[in-house]
C-alpha cells in the first residue's frame, strides 16, 4: 500500500532507486535540556530556549565511526607501565610558539587555535609546519580554504619549504582519513575545522554538529595513532570559537591568536593547556615575509612611548612566566553628555569603572562629568590586577594634566578602600624594569629581602593617595 502511494507521489522516480538512497539516521537534540526531535526547531518546546537544536547522529550507526581496532581491544594497563610521551615532544623551533604549548607539541594531542579572520593563523601554522617537517617528521597540512597553489604562493613568500610538508586540499572527512592512514604523519594541521564536513550528517559544513563530529573523529584518529593535530577555528562575532564550548572541552589545548589588525603585533595565548601553564603568551610581529618572533616584547611595546605627556604610565605585568612592560594611556576630557563616556581597550572595562569610583571616593577627584578613555598601547590585552595602580595613575595624571616621570614603573593591586595591595613575582617585574633602563618603581609594601639583588630605586606605598603624591 505504502509503495503504491510512493509511486503515485513520485511518478518520475523508479521505486528501486528511491529505496537505494541511504537513510542517514540523525535527530536534533536540544543542547540545553536534551529534548529530541526529528526536525530542527527554533525554540525548544520543552525548556523554551531558542536556537539550541543541534543535529546528532544516531548511535546505531556507531559502527561506521573510525576505529583502528576491534571493540574491546584496548585493555586497562597499570599506570606505571604506560610510556610517557613527554620526551617525544615535537619541537617546532619557533621558541615563542613552543613555549605557549608548554615546551613543544605533544604527540597525540589535539590543539585548537582560534582567532579573527586575517590575523595570521594560517601563516603561523604553515611556518610551524615547515619547521617541524624539516626537523621532526612528515606534516600533513589539510586546507579546506585554500588551494594547493595558493598555499604554495604563501610558502614562497615565507620561505617555508620542505619535501616532508604535504598539502592536501580537501574538505570531506571521509576522503581525508585514508590519506592520514597512508601518510602516517607526525603532525596534522586542519585549516579550518569549519570547512571540513562528514557525509554522515546532513547539516552544512561549519554547523555546530558538523564541527563537533569532525573534531571528534579527528581526535579519535590522533589519539590512536599518536599524531598531534592542530585545528584552526574561526571566531564568531562575540569572540568565541564557532561550534563553541563543545570543542574547547574536547581538545587538549586551546590557543587564541589575537592582535589588532591596525598593529603588527600578534599575541598567541594559551587558554587551556593539559601539558603546560596557561596564560603563557608568545609575541610575534607580522612582517612582509611572515611572522617573526619577538623575544623582548617590552622593548617593542614601549618603542613608541611619548615623552612628557600626561596620562601615560608604564606598568609591569606578568604574562605566564614572563614579565612584560607595557604603556597604559588614559585620556580624561570634559564631557558635554549627560552620561559621560567610559571606554577601555586592552583592560577590563568593569575594572576601570571600579578604579574610577575609588579615585572619586578615596582620593576626591571629581570625575563625574568627564569622558574617560583607557588604552593599552600596542593593542595588547592585560588581565591582571597588578596593573590597577597603573590605571589609576594614568587617569589621575591625565585629569590633573601632569605627566608621570617616564623612567618610573608603577605596580600594585588596588582594593576598594583605596589601599595598595601586594602582587606576585615583584622581583621579576622589577628586574625586567631595571633591564630596560627604568630607574624608579612604585610598589606595594613588601618584605625587603626579596629585592636584595635588584638595582632600581623602589618607593613603597600603602594607599592610592600616597602613590599619587609621589607620582604627580
Ligand atoms: P592569514 O594567515 O591568512 O590569516 P588567517 O588564516 O588567520 O585568516 O594571514 C593573512 C594576513 O596576514 C593578511 O592580511 C596579510 C598578512 N600577511 C603578511 O603581512 N605577511 C605575510 O608574509 C603573510 C603570509 C601574510
Ligand atoms: Mg586562514
Amino acid at each position: 500500500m505504502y509503495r503504491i502511494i510512493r509511486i503515485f507521489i513520485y511518478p518520475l522516480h523508479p521505486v528501486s532507486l528511491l529505496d537505494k538512497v541511504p537513510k542517514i539516521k540523525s535527530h536534533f537534540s536540544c543542547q540545553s535540556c536534551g529534548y529530541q526531535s526529528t526536525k530542527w526547531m527554533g525554540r525548544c518546546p520543552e525548556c523554551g530556549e531558542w536556537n539550541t537544536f543541534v543535529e546528532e547522529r544516531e548511535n546505531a550507526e556507531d559502527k561506521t565511526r573510525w576505529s583502528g581496532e576491534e571493540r574491546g581491544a584496548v585493555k586497562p594497563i597499570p599506570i606505571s607501565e604506560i610510556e610517557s610521551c613527554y620526551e617525544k615532544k615535537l619541537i617546532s623551533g619557533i621558541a615563542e610558539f613552543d613555549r605557549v604549548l608548554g615546551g613543544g607539541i605533544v604527540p597525540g594531542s589535539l590543539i585548537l587555535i582560534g582567532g579573527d579572520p586575517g590575523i595570521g593563523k594560517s601563516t603561523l601554522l604553515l611556518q610551524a609546519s615547515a619547521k617541524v617537517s624539516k626537523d621532526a617528521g612528515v606534516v600533513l597540512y589539510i586546507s579546506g580554504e585554500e588551494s594547493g597553489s595558493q598555499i604554495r604562493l604563501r610558502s614562497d613568500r615565507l620561505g617555508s619549504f620542505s619535501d616532508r610538508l604535504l598539502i592536501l586540499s580537501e574538505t570531506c572527512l571521509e576522503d581525508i582519513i585514508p590519506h592520514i592512514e597512508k601518510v602516517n604523519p607526525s603532525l596534522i594541521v586542519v585549516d579550518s575545522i569549519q570547512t571540513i564536513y562528514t557525509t554522515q550528517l546532513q547539516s552544512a559544513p561549519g554547523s555546530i554538529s558538523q564541527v563537533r563530529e569532525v573534531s571528534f573523529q579527528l581526535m579519535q584518529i590522533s589519539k590512536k595513532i599518536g599524531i598531534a593535530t592542530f585545528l584552526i577555528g574561526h571566531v564568531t562575532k562575540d569572540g568565541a570559537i564557532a561550534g563553541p564550548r563543545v570543542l574547547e572541552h574536547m581538545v587538549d589545548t586551546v590557543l587564541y591568536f589575537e592582535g589588532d589588525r591596525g598593529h603588527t603585533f600578534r599575541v598567541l595565548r594559551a587558554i587551556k593547556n593539559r601539558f603546560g601553564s596557561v596564560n603563557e603568551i608568545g609575541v610575534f610581529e607580522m612582517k612582509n615575509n611572515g611572522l617573526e618572533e619577538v623575544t623582548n616584547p617590552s622593548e617593542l611595546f614601549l618603542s613608541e612611548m611619548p615623552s612628557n605627556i600626561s596620562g601615560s604610565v608604564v606598568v609591569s605585568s606578568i604574562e605566564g612566566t614572563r614579565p612584560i612592560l607595557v604603556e597604559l594611556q588614559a585620556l580624561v576630557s570634559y564631557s558635554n553628555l549627560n552620561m559621560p563616556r567610559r571606554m577601555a581597550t586592552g583592560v577590563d572595562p568593569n575594572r576601570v569603572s571600579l578604579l574610577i569610583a575609588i579615585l572619586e571616593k578615596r582620593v576626591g577627584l571629581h570625575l563625574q562629568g568627564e569622558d574617560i578613555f583607557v588604552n593599552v598601547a600596542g593593542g595588547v590585552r592585560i588581565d591582571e590586577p597588578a596593573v590597577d595602580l597603573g590605571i589609576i595613575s594614568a587617569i589621575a595624571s591625565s585629569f590633573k594634566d601632569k605627566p608621570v616621570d617616564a623612567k618610573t614603573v608603577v605596580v600594585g593591586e588596588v582594593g576598594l578602600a583605596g589601599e595598595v595591595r601586594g602582587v606576585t613575582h615583584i622581583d621579576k617585574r622589577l628586574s625586567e624594569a631595571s633591564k630596560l633602563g627604568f630607574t624608579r618603581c612604585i610598589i606595594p609594601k613588601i618584605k625587603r629581602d626579596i629585592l636584595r639583588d635588584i638595582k632600581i630605586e623602589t618607593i613603597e606605598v600603602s594607599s592610592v593617595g600616597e602613590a599619587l603624591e609621589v607620582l604627580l
Side-chain angles (χ1 to χ4, degrees), residues 327-391:
E327 182 201 344
L328 274 179
Q329 299 177 322
L331 184 68
V332 180
S333 73
Y334 180 71
S335 174
N336 16 17
L337 300 173
N338 284 341
M339 281 265 290
R341 272 176 296 184
R342 303 282 151 96
M343 274 168 57
T345 39
V347 284
D348 178 12
N350 293 331
R351 191 88 198 158
V352 172
S353 305
L354 188 143
L355 294 171
I356 293 169
I358 292 172
L359 270 175
E360 285 175 353
K361 183 86 180 171
R362 307 286 173 202
V363 188
L365 296 191
H366 296 291
L367 297 167
Q368 292 90 343
E370 310 283 338
D371 283 336
I372 302 178
F373 306 95
V374 177
N375 178 36
V376 183
V380 253
R381 185 164 62 85
I382 7 183
D383 253 343
E384 214 206 358
V387 300
D388 286 355
L389 193 58
I391 298 174

Side-chain angles (χ1 to χ4, degrees), residues 28-37 44 47 49 52-54:
F28 291 83
S29 82
C30 169
Q31 298 299 293
S32 163
C33 69
Y35 180 84
Q36 292 188 353
S37 147
C44 177
C47 65
E49 291 284 327
T52 52
F53 276 87
V54 167

Side-chain angles (χ1 to χ4, degrees), residues 15-68:
V15 176
S16 58
L17 251 186
L18 273 175
D19 282 346
K20 272 187 191 161
V21 175
K23 285 196 191 93
I24 297 156
K25 283 187 190 146
S26 65
H27 59 253
F28 291 83
S29 82
C30 169
Q31 298 299 293
S32 163
C33 69
Y35 180 84
Q36 292 188 353
S37 147
T38 49
K39 286 211 177 72
W40 185 83
M41 279 187 273
R43 182 169 187 256
C44 177
E46 186 81 11
C47 65
E49 291 284 327
W50 286 92
N51 288 330
T52 52
F53 276 87
V54 167
E55 188 186 16
E56 283 175 353
R57 217 178 38 187
E58 303 264 328
N59 277 343
E61 284 204 4
D62 206 35
K63 48 181 174 300
T64 58
R65 178 160 288 178
W66 190 89
S67 127

Side-chain angles (χ1 to χ4, degrees), residues 116-123 154 157-158 286-290:
D116 290 332
I119 210 75
K121 302 178 294 295
S122 307
T123 308
R154 187 197 294 261
R157 193 166 160 189
L158 303 173
M286 185 61 100
K287 295 245 171 103
N288 275 339
N289 50 356

Side-chain angles (χ1 to χ4, degrees), residues 116-123 141 143 145-146 154 191-192 232 234:
D116 290 332
I119 210 75
K121 302 178 294 295
S122 307
T123 308
Y141 190 101
S143 181
E145 295 193 346
E146 288 162 288
R154 187 197 294 261
D191 185 7
S192 65
I232 297 182
H234 288 283

Side-chain angles (χ1 to χ4, degrees), residues 141-147 151 167-171 189 191 195:
Y141 190 101
I142 303 161
S143 181
E145 295 193 346
E146 288 162 288
S147 67
I151 299 173
I167 309 289
L168 176 65
S169 268
E170 182 58 76
T171 50
V189 177
D191 185 7
T195 55

